[in-house]
Amino acid sequence: MASFSLGSVLQAHVSEAGGYICKINAEITAASALARPVHKLHIHRRKGGRMTRVNLNVPFSEKDEAKQLGARWDPSSKVWFVPEGVNPHLFQRWLPDPPPDVTIRANSYRVAETEDTCWKCGELTRMYSFLLPAGYQTFEQGEDYIDAWYTNEGASMVSYVTDLLPTVVAHIKSITRHYYLDFSKTTNSSYWMNHCEHCGMKQGDFAMHCEPGGAFFPMDEEDVSSIKLQHVNEPFSCNGSTSYDSLISDL
């Protein structure tokens, strides 16, 4: 597999933290952080948990049929829904599909490698992450309130990784034995994380991916040149968080 310098795919450097947006879900500190996606069926609830409606995916050509069955149109959200008191099972054909087991996927990926200082023992240790090319997809709710796969224009680092595709697991294990699934007290959850090659201490993703100057948050050309990339022409999928900045060009 070919190796590359990150400098060959990065265009400019970031001068302030705002240039690097770290997309970490608010649930990251909760016990359920980064669990497999739960199928919500777009149910809206009032206080007390009483169901008020279920949103529907109704094509324009079928709107009259849905309306005849009792569906109503929400002009502010631009979505058809099942009002309270109407049986949602009448609308099975328009109910949103269950979400997939993973929320991030790509046709290929790169293993990113750099060195950083272990916060515990102070020794330099190798760190690893994944870089996804432009065109990778995330499963999320769009502006139309419909969950779907969305294609991203820029490349992205991936952090807080769970449910990693077995072929990717096999590949990263062939490179290092210090990147593996472990429990984090900070997030109260388990995810794939780096460990110091010398003392074995866990190296959390926040410092590496979300703090300026972190192992995978380069702030200048020197930081950029220290990151090596190994291209893997195989599918990638996982749950986790994506982060991107003006440094990472379209691949």
Side-chain angles (χ1 to χ4, degrees), residues 69-100:
L69 289 173
R72 294 293 179 267
W73 175 251
D74 181 346
S76 60
S77 299
K78 296 182 179 180
V79 64
W80 288 93
F81 67 93
V82 181
E84 185 177 6
V86 177
N87 185 356
H89 293 291
L90 295 173
F91 307 88
Q92 283 288 341
R93 61 193 283 194
W94 299 303
L95 289 175
D97 293 330

Side-chain angles (χ1 to χ4, degrees), residues 120-134:
K120 180 68 174 179
C121 71
E123 296 288 337
L124 275 179
T125 182
R126 283 174 291 184
M127 305 288 192
Y128 297 88
S129 185
F130 300 104
L131 177 65
L132 305 184

Side-chain angles (χ1 to χ4, degrees), residues 2-31:
S3 295
F4 302 85
S5 167
L6 186 58
S8 65
V9 296
L10 302 182
Q11 293 179 327
H13 68 275
V14 178
S15 58
E16 56 184 18
Y20 191 107
I21 304 173
C22 197
K23 294 172 61 181
I24 297 180
N25 296 327
E27 296 86 359
I28 195 63
T29 56

Side-chain angles (χ1 to χ4, degrees), residues 21 29 51-52 54-55 57 61-62 64-65 70 74 87 101 104 123 138 155 174 200-201 224 245:
I21 304 173
T29 56
M51 186 181 77
T52 58
V54 176
N55 284 352
N57 296 333
S61 61
E62 299 175 9
D64 290 339
E65 185 179 354
D74 181 346
N87 185 356
D101 291 336
I104 301 170
E123 296 288 337
T138 50
S174 72
M201 183 56 64
V224 167
D245 66 32

Side-chain angles (χ1 to χ4, degrees), residues 25-212:
N25 296 327
E27 296 86 359
I28 195 63
T29 56
S32 61
L34 299 177
R36 290 177 180 267
V38 177
H39 186 23
K40 296 176 288 187
L41 280 179
H42 300 283
I43 296 175
H44 295 243
R45 299 179 184 276
R46 298 174 181 168
K47 289 184 179 180
R50 189 157 60 96
M51 186 181 77
T52 58
R53 79 183 201 190
V54 176
N55 284 352
L56 302 170
N57 296 333
V58 181
F60 181 80
S61 61
E62 299 175 9
K63 64 181 181 62
D64 290 339
E65 185 179 354
K67 182 178 181 180
Q68 189 174 22
L69 289 173
R72 294 293 179 267
W73 175 251
D74 181 346
S76 60
S77 299
K78 296 182 179 180
V79 64
W80 288 93
F81 67 93
V82 181
E84 185 177 6
V86 177
N87 185 356
H89 293 291
L90 295 173
F91 307 88
Q92 283 288 341
R93 61 193 283 194
W94 299 303
L95 289 175
D97 293 330
D101 291 336
V102 294
T103 55
I104 301 170
R105 69 185 185 186
N107 292 328
S108 65
Y109 64 98
R110 288 179 175 180
V111 176
E113 176 188 334
T114 189
E115 285 188 327
D116 202 3
T117 302
C118 171
W119 66 267
K120 180 68 174 179
C121 71
E123 296 288 337
L124 275 179
T125 182
R126 283 174 291 184
M127 305 288 192
Y128 297 88
S129 185
F130 300 104
L131 177 65
L132 305 184
Y136 79 94
Q137 295 183 316
T138 50
F139 190 83
E140 54 190 278
Q141 188 177 95
E143 295 180 357
D144 54 3
Y145 296 91
I146 295 177
D147 287 341
W149 286 104
Y150 290 88
T151 300
N152 297 270
E153 295 181 356
S156 175
M157 287 287 188
V158 187
S159 57
Y160 296 100
V161 173
T162 66
D163 306 303
L164 196 56
L165 191 68
T167 54
V168 181
V169 171
H171 186 79
I172 193 67
K173 283 186 175 182
S174 72
I175 296 174
T176 178
R177 60 185 178 86
H178 300 288
Y179 182 82
Y180 53 86
L181 192 66
D182 207 345
F183 183 80
S184 166
K185 291 183 179 180
T186 303
T187 65
N188 194 30
S189 65
S190 295
Y191 65 87
W192 285 80
M193 66 179 72
N194 287 279
H195 297 74
C196 177
E197 296 173 301
H198 307 283
C199 69
M201 183 56 64
K202 304 170 187 177
Q203 309 294 308
D205 274 7
F206 182 81
M208 282 185 282
H209 289 270
C210 301
E211 291 189 345

Side-chain angles (χ1 to χ4, degrees), residues 233-248:
N233 192 27
E234 295 177 358
F236 179 96
S237 66
C238 72
N239 287 311
S241 294
T242 55
S243 54
Y244 55 93
D245 66 32
S246 58
L247 282 170
I248 302 177

